[in-house]
Amino acid sequence: MTENRLLGYFKTRLTYGVVACIICPVLGALGQWHWILDLFSHFRIQYTITLLGIGAALLLLRHTRWGFISCITGIVLSISLLPYAPKQAPETLPAPEHNLLNYNLNTANRKYQEVLEFLQTTNADIVFLMEVNQTWISKLSALKASYPYSIMHPRSDNFGLALYSKHPIDNGMIPSFGSNELPTIEAAIRLPKQTLHLIGTHPLPPVSKENSDSRNQQLTSIAAHIQNTSHDYQIVTGDLNCTPWSFIFKDFTQQAALKDSSIGNGIGGTWFRKLGFISIPIDHILGSERITFTEKEIKDTFGSDHSAVLVNFILHP
């Protein structure tokens, strides 16, 4: 293959990549019409980086038209990522700061001691865990020394839950939302000056139409529940099995009047983070209007396919 033919081959393949990265977000935007289309919505970061990278390569190869198309489309997509850019934290806070750790342990994970030491070292005020079975409950029993208040609902499948708190828990419940009867933890946590109403949930992953419908129904039911209750301070946390660019995430946060803790604090993949570029953010901590998230950090996996998410927040009087 001559140099010119080889160059033409690479230009053609790169052009195909541009077309694919333009079509995929468009398909994702139509996710409410079919569950498979929704799957294309989750890779907004990857589409953006790929378009900008391919665009730069095509411009260097003097394939100007497609190079500009790729770069301009990448820039347009990147605008939707700007709200997540980290902002400088204020030097003084108007209220005491609290923190919450959200972590999908992975039921099959066997790194019990590493996870226990991680949780003890992180020392968050509130810890919400998913994919908790009876073995995990036993292996993490030492947490009771630091977390005297807890709600535990272990299961043998991937939908057991546990909530640990340093502060008293009132009205702890295990309701089911939607039609699948999967558990959710709902609790009022009495912080020193205010009461935080927390919902921790883990819907099904959208790997089929049935699962996708179940996830959507569960989140929609939780949003309706929040609408019908009156709480000044509301947090929803969990592995929601959707990214911020999915239609169901947008509908859920709008209906429940919740804001994403990633806004102004950075965003990154939490599922299969070890795979780097292809990981996606599906583990979320969301809060109501009078809650400000001052910092967010994605922690290590410790044997899980999910990373832990730690947020600092304040409750405005």
Side-chain angles (χ1 to χ4, degrees):
M1 185 179 290
T2 65
E3 182 178 348
N4 286 339
R5 289 183 64 187
L6 183 63
L7 193 61
Y9 174 84
F10 279 117
K11 286 180 180 178
T12 301
R13 293 299 179 271
L14 290 174
T15 302
Y16 289 162
V18 173
V19 173
C21 286
I22 291 175
I23 292 175
C24 286
V26 175
L27 294 177
L30 303 175
Q32 60 184 322
W33 302 109
H34 198 282
W35 72 272
I36 293 180
L37 296 179
D38 184 49
L39 298 179
F40 289 97
S41 70
H42 303 313
F43 301 92
R44 179 70 58 88
I45 296 173
Q46 289 83 350
Y47 299 144
T48 302
I49 295 174
T50 301
L51 284 166
L52 293 174
I54 291 179
L58 288 172
L59 290 175
L60 288 173
L61 294 173
R62 297 183 181 178
H63 201 25
T64 309
R65 182 177 65 177
W66 278 102
F68 277 123
I69 290 173
S70 186
C71 287
I72 291 172
T73 308
I75 291 171
V76 171
L77 282 181
S78 70
I79 292 174
S80 66
L81 302 177
L82 290 179
Y84 302 99
K87 299 177 182 177
Q88 187 173 1
E91 294 183 1
T92 58
L93 298 175
E97 197 170 32
H98 308 283
N99 50 21
L100 164 65
L101 182 76
N102 176 91
Y103 191 13
N104 185 329
L105 298 175
N106 186 350
T107 308
N109 187 2
R110 296 295 181 266
K111 295 190 176 181
Y112 303 115
Q113 188 60 33
E114 290 184 40
V115 170
L116 174 61
E117 292 174 357
F118 162 67
L119 295 175
Q120 291 173 325
T121 302
T122 304
N123 199 33
D125 297 324
I126 304 165
V127 176
F128 177 65
L129 303 178
M130 291 154 284
E131 299 202 19
V132 177
N133 56 19
Q134 190 57 55
T135 302
W136 270 112
I137 295 296
S138 300
K139 296 294 185 180
L140 298 179
S141 60
L143 289 177
K144 293 180 181 179
S146 301
Y147 297 92
Y149 310 97
S150 62
I151 300 175
M152 301 179 187
H153 190 76
R155 287 169 55 124
S156 58
D157 57 15
N158 292 336
F159 297 94
L161 306 174
L163 176 68
Y164 297 87
S165 174
K166 293 182 178 181
H167 306 282
I169 295 176
D170 294 332
N171 303 323
M173 297 181 290
I174 311 289
S176 295
F177 293 96
S179 58
N180 54 35
E181 298 186 354
L182 290 179
T184 289
I185 287 181
E186 183 174 11
I189 301 175
R190 283 192 282 122
L191 300 176
K193 293 185 177 181
Q194 296 99 356
T195 296
L196 173 69
H197 188 261
L198 182 140
I199 292 177
T201 194
H202 181 202
L204 288 170
V207 294
S208 66
K209 182 182 185 303
E210 293 73 17
N211 279 23
S212 181
D213 289 344
S214 172
R215 177 203 61 182
N216 299 346
Q217 290 171 11
Q218 186 165 334
L219 293 178
T220 300
S221 296
I222 292 174
H225 174 69
I226 292 173
Q227 279 187 327
N228 293 327
T229 56
S230 178
H231 300 290
D232 290 330
Y233 307 103
Q234 176 76 63
I235 277 183
V236 174
T237 184
D239 169 9
L240 303 187
N241 274 310
C242 60
T243 63
W245 309 289
S246 171
F247 80 95
I248 187 59
F249 184 91
K250 297 174 184 177
D251 288 351
F252 173 64
T253 52
Q254 290 175 3
Q255 185 179 352
L258 299 172
K259 54 189 176 184
D260 189 352
S261 61
S262 296
I263 300 294
N265 291 309
I267 191 168
T270 61
W271 183 53
F272 278 112
R273 186 170 175 81
K274 286 186 176 181
L275 297 182
F277 180 68
I278 66 172
S279 65
I280 56 176
I282 62 174
D283 300 88
H284 301 284
I285 301 176
L286 314 169
S288 55
E289 182 181 1
R290 296 177 69 179
I291 297 177
T292 295
F293 295 103
T294 56
E295 188 176 358
K296 177 183 176 181
E297 185 177 358
I298 299 176
K299 296 287 190 177
D300 291 333
T301 61
F302 299 104
S304 175
D305 52 344
H306 290 256
S307 299
V309 179
L310 176 68
V311 297
N312 294 349
F313 63 93
I314 59 175
L315 307 180
H316 294 279

